[in-house]
Amino acid sequence: MTNQDDFFLREAIQLAREGMTSGQGGPFGSVIVRDGVIVGKGCNKVTSTNDPTAHAEVVAIRDACQNLGTFQLDGCTLYASCEPCPMCLGAIYWARPSRIVYAAFHSDAADAGFDDQFIYEEIDKPRAERHIPMHQLLRDEANTVFEEWVALGKRIPY
């Protein structure tokens, strides 16, 4: 960890504070940095945009990818004011930054009323035992699209 990490993590914390006090959403912020320059930033905008996926990390990923003209964040560091939730962690893995640096633990967020422990528990359950019922249909029809994808000559792997 470096002084640069402290600097950018404080930027994420400040975005969390600004987003919260301006009514954009909960107290979460994130910045994405490449070569010492912020290339994406975001604060939580769930309530102001009526978008449950508008967590700070997802907003920052969208911003960085648009600014960089890519869907991969190789060579970037994602800084977050709090340990990423399961949804954000999934998005982060898809974006593939080089590393993540965060401030508060997800247990600290839980103490403030943002408890995602039930999601961790749901993921570990068999599909049939999850809180939201899941039903699987038309597998063969859906798999034909995957077969078409595999046969597609010009595709961008990700």
Side-chain angles (χ1 to χ4, degrees), residues 67-142:
N67 291 336
L68 295 173
T70 184
F71 55 86
Q72 303 279 274
L73 297 175
D74 302 327
C76 294
T77 298
L78 184 142
Y79 294 90
S81 63
C82 186
E83 183 178 6
C85 76
M87 178 189 70
C88 292
L89 194 57
I92 292 165
Y93 271 92
W94 279 113
R96 295 179 174 89
S98 297
R99 66 191 189 116
I100 304 165
V101 179
Y102 64 90
F105 287 112
H106 73 270
S107 58
D108 299 322
D111 291 343
F114 299 94
D115 194 357
D116 55 10
Q117 184 59 38
F118 78 96
I119 298 172
Y120 291 102
E121 293 167 5
E122 285 289 301
I123 290 169
D124 285 339
K125 290 181 182 178
R127 290 177 190 97
E129 295 177 18
R130 292 181 181 160
H131 182 74
I132 298 175
M134 296 179 70
H135 306 281
Q136 189 275 319
L137 298 169
L138 304 177
R139 181 178 181 192
D140 290 339
E141 289 182 36

Side-chain angles (χ1 to χ4, degrees), residues 137-153:
L137 298 169
L138 304 177
R139 181 178 181 192
D140 290 339
E141 289 182 36
N143 276 333
T144 62
V145 180
F146 289 131
E147 291 166 5
E148 292 169 19
W149 169 259
V150 170
L152 192 63

